Amino acid sequence: MRYHINEGQFDVPDDGRVDRSMNVLAMPDGSGTTLIVSRDALRTQENLAQFVARQMSDLTRQVSQLKELSRGDVAIGSPLHNLRGIELATQFKQNGQALYQRQAVFQQRAGSPDVLVLTASSPVPFDAEALALWQRTLASFQPRAA
């Protein structure tokens, strides 16, 4: 299988491997909102809502003081692509540090087990500027042509 990354592409065995890679886009000084792209896969017979519930359960064991602030449906990219997902807003402590996150979780293609998770993470609550960045990021998504 041809595996694509921002810097190029290469061949990997097509033997059932699941892409669990992560891209982290942070400011050099660690300030501001960090954008994270991670990949996962639905389990057999699992839907997106069940995937999110499982991930939240796992997160509860990994961090302290997890609070889910909101959860709802979200559109990703242009209406032409018709990508729908689940958006979450959470806050928690990790290693004593407060973190605030917005996440959009969606299947990359209808019927595919491949899940993409877009995350905006900040050590401070999201202000209007950070929320605008988040909305622009979601609206600008374009799936790679197959």
Side-chain angles (χ1 to χ4, degrees):
M1 137 175 87
R2 177 76 47 192
Y3 186 80
H4 298 264
I5 59 174
N6 197 44
E7 296 82 1
Q9 59 188 356
F10 49 89
D11 289 326
V12 296
D14 193 7
D15 57 2
R17 293 169 196 258
V18 175
D19 185 352
R20 293 217 170 96
S21 61
M22 183 180 293
N23 302 95
V24 179
L25 305 165
M27 297 300 291
D29 65 359
S31 68
T33 302
T34 298
L35 298 173
I36 304 159
V37 181
S38 56
R39 296 147 188 92
D40 210 328
L42 299 175
R43 292 180 176 168
T44 304
Q45 303 299 316
E46 184 177 52
N47 64 36
L48 198 58
Q50 292 166 326
F51 172 87
V52 169
R54 178 170 53 86
Q55 294 299 315
M56 289 299 290
S57 177
D58 290 348
L59 187 59
T60 299
R61 290 188 294 276
Q62 298 168 9
V63 301
S64 64
Q65 301 176 12
L66 175 65
K67 293 180 189 170
E68 184 175 317
L69 306 174
S70 66
R71 182 187 301 205
D73 294 333
V74 65
I76 313 294
S78 78
L80 173 69
H81 298 113
N82 195 31
L83 289 172
R84 306 285 311 168
I86 298 171
E87 182 178 29
L88 297 151
T90 57
Q91 71 181 54
F92 54 87
K93 286 194 174 183
Q94 188 172 32
N95 300 324
Q97 168 81 35
L99 285 172
Y100 299 83
Q101 290 190 335
R102 295 279 175 155
Q103 291 186 304
V105 181
F106 61 99
Q107 288 174 264
Q108 294 183 46
R109 288 170 300 289
S112 167
D114 298 328
V115 174
L116 201 60
V117 181
L118 303 179
T119 303
S121 183
S122 174
V124 297
F126 283 74
D127 60 13
E129 183 180 345
L131 288 172
L133 170 66
W134 174 242
Q135 293 302 321
R136 282 193 312 271
T137 301
L138 294 181
S140 70
F141 181 78
Q142 295 180 26
R144 182 185 297 256

Short mmCIF file of all heavy atoms in Angstrom, two decimals, residues 45-70:
data_model
loop_
_atom_site.label_atom_id
_atom_site.label_comp_id
_atom_site.label_asym_id
_atom_site.label_seq_id
_atom_site.Cartn_x
_atom_site.Cartn_y
_atom_site.Cartn_z
N GLN A 45 -18.13 -3.95 14.21
CA GLN A 45 -19.49 -3.66 14.66
C GLN A 45 -19.61 -2.41 15.53
O GLN A 45 -20.63 -2.18 16.15
CB GLN A 45 -20.11 -4.87 15.40
CG GLN A 45 -20.14 -6.15 14.60
CD GLN A 45 -20.98 -6.03 13.33
OE1 GLN A 45 -22.06 -5.47 13.35
NE2 GLN A 45 -20.45 -6.52 12.23
N GLU A 46 -18.58 -1.58 15.58
CA GLU A 46 -18.61 -0.36 16.38
C GLU A 46 -19.00 0.81 15.49
O GLU A 46 -18.52 0.94 14.37
CB GLU A 46 -17.23 -0.12 17.00
CG GLU A 46 -17.15 1.06 17.94
CD GLU A 46 -15.77 1.19 18.58
OE1 GLU A 46 -14.76 1.21 17.83
OE2 GLU A 46 -15.70 1.24 19.81
N ASN A 47 -19.87 1.69 16.00
CA ASN A 47 -20.19 2.91 15.26
C ASN A 47 -19.42 4.08 15.87
O ASN A 47 -18.73 3.93 16.88
CB ASN A 47 -21.71 3.16 15.22
CG ASN A 47 -22.31 3.41 16.58
OD1 ASN A 47 -21.69 4.02 17.46
ND2 ASN A 47 -23.54 2.93 16.78
N LEU A 48 -19.56 5.25 15.26
CA LEU A 48 -18.77 6.40 15.69
C LEU A 48 -19.12 6.83 17.12
O LEU A 48 -18.23 7.15 17.90
CB LEU A 48 -18.97 7.56 14.72
CG LEU A 48 -17.93 8.67 14.77
CD1 LEU A 48 -16.53 8.13 14.51
CD2 LEU A 48 -18.27 9.75 13.76
N ALA A 49 -20.39 6.80 17.48
CA ALA A 49 -20.78 7.17 18.85
C ALA A 49 -20.18 6.21 19.87
O ALA A 49 -19.72 6.63 20.94
CB ALA A 49 -22.30 7.20 18.97
N GLN A 50 -20.14 4.92 19.55
CA GLN A 50 -19.54 3.94 20.45
C GLN A 50 -18.02 4.14 20.54
O GLN A 50 -17.43 4.00 21.61
CB GLN A 50 -19.86 2.52 19.97
CG GLN A 50 -21.33 2.17 20.10
CD GLN A 50 -21.69 0.91 19.33
OE1 GLN A 50 -21.14 0.64 18.26
NE2 GLN A 50 -22.66 0.16 19.85
N PHE A 51 -17.40 4.48 19.43
CA PHE A 51 -15.97 4.78 19.41
C PHE A 51 -15.67 5.94 20.36
O PHE A 51 -14.74 5.88 21.18
CB PHE A 51 -15.52 5.12 17.98
CG PHE A 51 -14.10 5.61 17.89
CD1 PHE A 51 -13.05 4.71 17.77
CD2 PHE A 51 -13.82 6.97 17.92
CE1 PHE A 51 -11.73 5.17 17.69
CE2 PHE A 51 -12.51 7.43 17.84
CZ PHE A 51 -11.47 6.53 17.72
N VAL A 52 -16.46 7.02 20.26
CA VAL A 52 -16.25 8.20 21.11
C VAL A 52 -16.44 7.82 22.57
O VAL A 52 -15.64 8.22 23.43
CB VAL A 52 -17.17 9.36 20.69
CG1 VAL A 52 -17.16 10.47 21.73
CG2 VAL A 52 -16.75 9.90 19.32
N ALA A 53 -17.47 7.05 22.88
CA ALA A 53 -17.71 6.63 24.27
C ALA A 53 -16.52 5.82 24.79
O ALA A 53 -16.08 6.01 25.93
CB ALA A 53 -19.00 5.82 24.36
N ARG A 54 -16.00 4.92 23.96
CA ARG A 54 -14.84 4.11 24.37
C ARG A 54 -13.62 4.99 24.60
O ARG A 54 -12.88 4.83 25.60
CB ARG A 54 -14.55 3.05 23.30
CG ARG A 54 -13.35 2.18 23.61
CD ARG A 54 -13.23 0.99 22.66
NE ARG A 54 -13.25 1.29 21.25
CZ ARG A 54 -12.17 1.62 20.53
NH1 ARG A 54 -10.97 1.71 21.10
NH2 ARG A 54 -12.29 1.85 19.24
N GLN A 55 -13.38 5.94 23.72
CA GLN A 55 -12.23 6.83 23.86
C GLN A 55 -12.35 7.70 25.11
O GLN A 55 -11.37 7.92 25.82
CB GLN A 55 -12.07 7.71 22.62
CG GLN A 55 -11.72 6.93 21.37
CD GLN A 55 -10.40 6.20 21.49
OE1 GLN A 55 -9.41 6.74 21.96
NE2 GLN A 55 -10.38 4.95 21.09
N MET A 56 -13.57 8.17 25.41
CA MET A 56 -13.78 8.97 26.62
C MET A 56 -13.55 8.13 27.87
O MET A 56 -12.97 8.60 28.85
CB MET A 56 -15.18 9.58 26.62
CG MET A 56 -15.35 10.70 25.60
SD MET A 56 -14.25 12.10 25.89
CE MET A 56 -14.98 12.76 27.39
N SER A 57 -13.97 6.89 27.84
CA SER A 57 -13.73 5.98 28.96
C SER A 57 -12.23 5.78 29.17
O SER A 57 -11.74 5.81 30.31
CB SER A 57 -14.43 4.65 28.71
OG SER A 57 -14.17 3.75 29.75
N ASP A 58 -11.50 5.58 28.07
CA ASP A 58 -10.04 5.42 28.17
C ASP A 58 -9.40 6.69 28.72
O ASP A 58 -8.50 6.62 29.56
CB ASP A 58 -9.44 5.11 26.79
CG ASP A 58 -9.77 3.72 26.29
OD1 ASP A 58 -10.29 2.90 27.09
OD2 ASP A 58 -9.53 3.45 25.10
N LEU A 59 -9.85 7.86 28.26
CA LEU A 59 -9.29 9.12 28.71
C LEU A 59 -9.52 9.33 30.20
O LEU A 59 -8.65 9.84 30.90
CB LEU A 59 -9.89 10.28 27.90
CG LEU A 59 -9.29 11.67 28.14
CD1 LEU A 59 -7.79 11.69 27.81
CD2 LEU A 59 -10.03 12.71 27.31
N THR A 60 -10.67 8.89 30.69
CA THR A 60 -10.98 9.01 32.12
C THR A 60 -9.93 8.31 32.97
O THR A 60 -9.60 8.77 34.06
CB THR A 60 -12.38 8.42 32.41
OG1 THR A 60 -13.34 9.16 31.65
CG2 THR A 60 -12.74 8.49 33.87
N ARG A 61 -9.39 7.20 32.48
CA ARG A 61 -8.37 6.46 33.22
C ARG A 61 -6.98 7.09 33.09
O ARG A 61 -6.09 6.80 33.88
CB ARG A 61 -8.34 5.00 32.76
CG ARG A 61 -9.57 4.20 33.17
CD ARG A 61 -9.43 2.72 32.87
NE ARG A 61 -9.38 2.40 31.46
CZ ARG A 61 -10.45 2.24 30.67
NH1 ARG A 61 -11.65 2.39 31.17
NH2 ARG A 61 -10.30 1.93 29.40
N GLN A 62 -6.78 7.94 32.08
CA GLN A 62 -5.45 8.49 31.81
C GLN A 62 -5.22 9.89 32.39
O GLN A 62 -4.08 10.31 32.53
CB GLN A 62 -5.23 8.54 30.30
CG GLN A 62 -5.25 7.18 29.65
CD GLN A 62 -5.32 7.27 28.13
OE1 GLN A 62 -5.19 8.33 27.55
NE2 GLN A 62 -5.53 6.14 27.48
N VAL A 63 -6.30 10.61 32.66
CA VAL A 63 -6.18 11.98 33.14
C VAL A 63 -7.02 12.16 34.40
O VAL A 63 -7.79 11.28 34.76
CB VAL A 63 -6.63 13.00 32.06
CG1 VAL A 63 -5.80 12.85 30.79
CG2 VAL A 63 -8.11 12.88 31.76
N SER A 64 -6.88 13.31 35.05
CA SER A 64 -7.71 13.57 36.23
C SER A 64 -8.68 14.72 35.96
O SER A 64 -8.44 15.57 35.10
CB SER A 64 -6.82 13.88 37.44
OG SER A 64 -6.09 15.06 37.24
N GLN A 65 -9.74 14.72 36.69
CA GLN A 65 -10.75 15.78 36.65
C GLN A 65 -11.32 16.03 35.26
O GLN A 65 -11.53 17.17 34.85
CB GLN A 65 -10.18 17.08 37.24
CG GLN A 65 -9.72 16.92 38.68
CD GLN A 65 -9.07 18.17 39.23
OE1 GLN A 65 -9.12 19.24 38.65
NE2 GLN A 65 -8.41 18.03 40.37
N LEU A 66 -11.56 14.97 34.52
CA LEU A 66 -12.12 15.09 33.18
C LEU A 66 -13.55 15.61 33.26
O LEU A 66 -14.38 15.06 33.99
CB LEU A 66 -12.10 13.74 32.45
CG LEU A 66 -12.77 13.71 31.08
CD1 LEU A 66 -12.03 14.59 30.08
CD2 LEU A 66 -12.84 12.28 30.56
N LYS A 67 -13.82 16.67 32.52
CA LYS A 67 -15.18 17.22 32.41
C LYS A 67 -15.52 17.33 30.93
O LYS A 67 -14.79 17.96 30.17
CB LYS A 67 -15.27 18.60 33.04
CG LYS A 67 -15.09 18.61 34.53
CD LYS A 67 -15.20 20.03 35.07
CE LYS A 67 -14.80 20.05 36.53
NZ LYS A 67 -14.66 21.41 37.04
N GLU A 68 -16.61 16.70 30.55
CA GLU A 68 -17.11 16.86 29.18
C GLU A 68 -18.03 18.06 29.20
O GLU A 68 -19.06 18.07 29.87
CB GLU A 68 -17.85 15.60 28.73
CG GLU A 68 -18.29 15.69 27.30
CD GLU A 68 -18.93 14.40 26.80
OE1 GLU A 68 -18.41 13.30 27.11
OE2 GLU A 68 -19.95 14.50 26.11
N LEU A 69 -17.66 19.10 28.46
CA LEU A 69 -18.41 20.35 28.45
C LEU A 69 -19.54 20.34 27.43
O LEU A 69 -20.58 20.96 27.65
CB LEU A 69 -17.47 21.53 28.19
CG LEU A 69 -16.27 21.63 29.14
CD1 LEU A 69 -15.33 22.74 28.71
CD2 LEU A 69 -16.74 21.82 30.57
N SER A 70 -19.33 19.65 26.31
CA SER A 70 -20.38 19.54 25.30
C SER A 70 -20.05 18.40 24.35
O SER A 70 -18.90 17.97 24.23
CB SER A 70 -20.54 20.86 24.52
OG SER A 70 -19.38 21.12 23.74
#
